[in-house]
């Protein structure tokens, strides 16, 4: 149930609509450039196999000293050939993934064109999903302890494969209602959101099934992939968990929230309380949109629980350009 007012983010949204916030993307441009050039110069030439490539700090070119091959350091990343500077792409994605601002409001800050910004954010999100497992696997950390897993129902909009309508930018700034139009389409299928928390790792997926194999299995497999062995799994008494063949310990929520020996699913409950207001900012999501958003939130939360979330975010977005 929604009261129509998010618990967080209203003041920030007001600042945006008043035009009170301005960004300096240059430090981020420099961060992206340093990061990408470091990776380029460490790799071999894709054309002739020469051991390393060349880069200079005052040029965007990457080239091979042996053959004619050359490219731009942003090639293959969402930063390439963009109307937005790399720093602006990063700011847009961080505001999208890590705040309660809508894409409408982010467009007010960064780009007059909603469509361009929307596409750039989606492209960045796809790259982020693909790059996360690689970067996560290289972080100097050990993910250990029990895995807490829980599920919740989430309704999505009935418009398959489409995003819900948004209000036009022409109204933005001229009215306090700008960006607040409610999704009034038909509400459609329910998806099950499944979240698993282990140490600083958060995996959130939207699944269609109602049985263990369909909805819980994939998430647990993913946690296992991202943290080596799975360890103990803590669940509530939900029947689908009974099919699990993992070591499993249950807390029965009708009776208690923490068992005498300390089994609980509080981390996941906490994650739900964070993700619900964030999902609500979309004012309705298609099935595909919900799947993507849920996944993004889990990975972003995981990075936020690491030492250098922004640097790791840049790596996630760019890493697949070099494979
Ligand atoms: Zn070469």
């Amino acid at each position: 149930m929604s009261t129509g007012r998010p618990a967080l983010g209203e003041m920030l949204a007001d600042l945006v609509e008043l035009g009170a916030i301005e960004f300096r993307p240059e430090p981020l441009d420099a961060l992206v450039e340093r990061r990408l050039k470091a990776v380029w110069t460490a790799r071999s030439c894709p054309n002739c196999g020469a051991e390393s490539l060349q880069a200079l700090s005052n040029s965007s070119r990457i080239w091979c000293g042996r053959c004619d091959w050359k490219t731009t350091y942003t090639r293959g990343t969402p930063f390439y050939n963009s109307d937005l500077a790399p720093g602006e792409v990063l700011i847009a994605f961080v505001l999208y993934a890590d705040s309660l601002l809508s894409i409408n409001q982010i467009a007010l800050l960064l780009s007059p064109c909603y469509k361009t910004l929307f596409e750039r954010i989606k492209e960045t999100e796809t790259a982020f999903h693909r790059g996360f497992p690689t970067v996560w696997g290289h972080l100097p950390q050990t993910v250990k302890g029990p895995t807490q897993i829980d599920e919740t129902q989430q309704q999505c909009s009935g418009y398959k494969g489409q995003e819900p309508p948004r209000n036009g930018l022409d109204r933005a700034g001229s009215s306090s209602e700008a960006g607040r139009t409610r999704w009034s389409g038909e509400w459609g299928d329910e998806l099950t959101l499944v979240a698993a928390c282990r140490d600083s790792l958060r995996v959130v997926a939207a699944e269609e099934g109602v049985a263990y194999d369909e909805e819980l299995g994939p998430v647990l497999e993913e946690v296992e992939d991202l943290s080596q062995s799975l360890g103990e799994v803590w669940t509530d008494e939900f029947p689908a968990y009974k099919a699990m063949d993992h070591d499993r310990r249950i807390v029965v929520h009708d009776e208690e929230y923490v068992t005498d020996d300390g089994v609980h699913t509080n981390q996941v409950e906490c994650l739900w309380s964070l993700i619900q207001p964030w999902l609500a900012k979309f004012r309705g999501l298609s099935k595909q949109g919900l799947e993507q958003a849920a996944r993004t939130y889990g990975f972003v939360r995981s990075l936020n629980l690491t030492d250098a979330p922004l640097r790791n975010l840049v790596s996630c977005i760019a890493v697949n350009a070099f494979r």
Side-chain angles (χ1 to χ4, degrees), residues 4-113:
R5 293 243 159 220
L8 280 173
E10 280 291 285
M11 291 181 190
L12 185 57
D14 283 351
L15 291 182
V16 170
E17 275 158 32
L18 280 168
I21 300 180
E22 213 178 302
F23 290 109
R24 292 199 312 116
E26 295 82 6
L28 289 171
D29 293 344
L31 177 80
V32 171
E33 183 171 347
R34 270 199 312 275
R35 189 88 202 91
L36 297 196
K37 283 184 173 175
V39 185
W40 274 116
T41 52
R43 63 162 292 177
S44 58
C45 173
N47 185 47
C48 75
E51 217 163 80
S52 66
L53 293 165
Q54 314 292 317
L56 284 176
S57 55
N58 57 3
S59 159
S60 63
R61 279 210 327 180
I62 302 292
W63 73 96
C64 174
R66 198 162 85 185
C67 71
D68 272 347
W69 194 83
K70 55 178 179 292
T71 188
T72 307
Y73 73 91
T74 53
R75 181 171 126 146
T77 73
F79 307 117
Y80 182 68
N81 213 2
S82 170
D83 295 341
L84 301 172
E88 290 176 313
V89 174
L90 269 186
I91 291 170
F93 188 73
V94 166
L95 291 174
Y96 161 79
D98 201 27
S99 89
L100 295 181
L101 292 184
S102 67
I103 297 182
N104 257 341
Q105 289 161 335
I106 300 168
L108 281 179
L109 283 170
L110 286 167
S111 159
C113 181

Side-chain angles (χ1 to χ4, degrees), residues 268-284:
V268 196
E269 305 293 341
C270 173
L271 187 66
W272 292 142
S273 73
L274 295 172
I275 199 174
Q276 291 299 352
W278 186 76
L279 288 173
K281 83 171 181 171
F282 295 97
R283 322 254 168 216

Side-chain angles (χ1 to χ4, degrees), residues 3 8 10 128 161 173 178 191 214 216 279 285 293 318:
T3 60
L8 280 173
E10 280 291 285
F128 174 61
L191 287 183
E214 291 161 25
L216 304 176
L279 288 173
L285 280 165

Side-chain angles (χ1 to χ4, degrees), residues 16-286:
V16 170
E17 275 158 32
L18 280 168
I21 300 180
E22 213 178 302
F23 290 109
R24 292 199 312 116
E26 295 82 6
L28 289 171
D29 293 344
L31 177 80
V32 171
E33 183 171 347
R34 270 199 312 275
R35 189 88 202 91
L36 297 196
K37 283 184 173 175
V39 185
W40 274 116
T41 52
R43 63 162 292 177
S44 58
C45 173
N47 185 47
C48 75
E51 217 163 80
S52 66
L53 293 165
Q54 314 292 317
L56 284 176
S57 55
N58 57 3
S59 159
S60 63
R61 279 210 327 180
I62 302 292
W63 73 96
C64 174
R66 198 162 85 185
C67 71
D68 272 347
W69 194 83
K70 55 178 179 292
T71 188
T72 307
Y73 73 91
T74 53
R75 181 171 126 146
T77 73
F79 307 117
Y80 182 68
N81 213 2
S82 170
D83 295 341
L84 301 172
E88 290 176 313
V89 174
L90 269 186
I91 291 170
F93 188 73
V94 166
L95 291 174
Y96 161 79
D98 201 27
S99 89
L100 295 181
L101 292 184
S102 67
I103 297 182
N104 257 341
Q105 289 161 335
I106 300 168
L108 281 179
L109 283 170
L110 286 167
S111 159
C113 181
Y114 176 94
K115 195 162 173 286
T116 306
L117 188 77
F118 180 83
E119 283 165 5
R120 196 55 64 178
I121 287 175
K122 287 291 142 185
E123 198 185 327
T124 308
E125 185 173 45
T126 304
F128 174 61
H129 289 177
R130 288 178 58 216
F132 177 83
T134 306
V135 172
W136 186 259
H138 284 89
L139 292 180
Q141 61 177 349
T142 320
V143 175
K144 54 184 190 304
T147 300
Q148 300 179 19
I149 188 164
D150 192 24
E151 83 300 312
T152 185
Q153 295 304 113
Q154 185 82 27
Q155 212 162 30
C156 42
S157 82
Y159 289 70
K160 289 194 167 69
Q162 290 175 26
E163 294 304 319
R166 59 187 181 84
N167 59 323
L169 271 183
D170 47 340
R171 290 178 50 225
S174 63
S175 147
S176 62
E177 287 302 300
R180 292 193 191 131
T181 302
R182 307 228 137 250
W183 168 233
S184 56
E186 286 175 50
W187 291 86
D189 305 332
E190 285 210 335
L191 287 183
T192 304
L193 284 189
V194 186
C197 300
R198 186 180 197 204
D199 218 326
S200 53
L201 178 63
R202 303 287 179 270
V203 177
V204 189
E207 309 283 351
E208 273 183 78
V210 288
Y212 164 71
D213 282 352
E214 291 161 25
E215 65 183 35
L216 304 176
V219 176
L220 282 173
E221 266 170 43
E222 196 169 356
V223 171
E224 191 159 21
D225 286 347
L226 290 167
S227 62
Q228 278 94 55
S229 67
L230 193 57
E232 208 166 77
V233 178
W234 293 2
T235 74
D236 61 18
E237 70 280 18
F238 185 62
Y241 297 119
K242 292 189 176 127
M244 280 175 30
D245 53 4
H246 300 284
D247 278 350
R248 181 179 71 120
R249 302 175 79 187
I250 309 164
V251 55
V252 180
H253 276 172
D254 286 347
E255 294 161 17
E256 58 191 350
Y257 283 92
V258 182
T259 63
D260 290 342
D261 50 357
V263 174
H264 61 84
T265 54
N266 294 351
Q267 275 185 342
V268 196
E269 305 293 341
C270 173
L271 187 66
W272 292 142
S273 73
L274 295 172
I275 199 174
Q276 291 299 352
W278 186 76
L279 288 173
K281 83 171 181 171
F282 295 97
R283 322 254 168 216
L285 280 165
S286 66

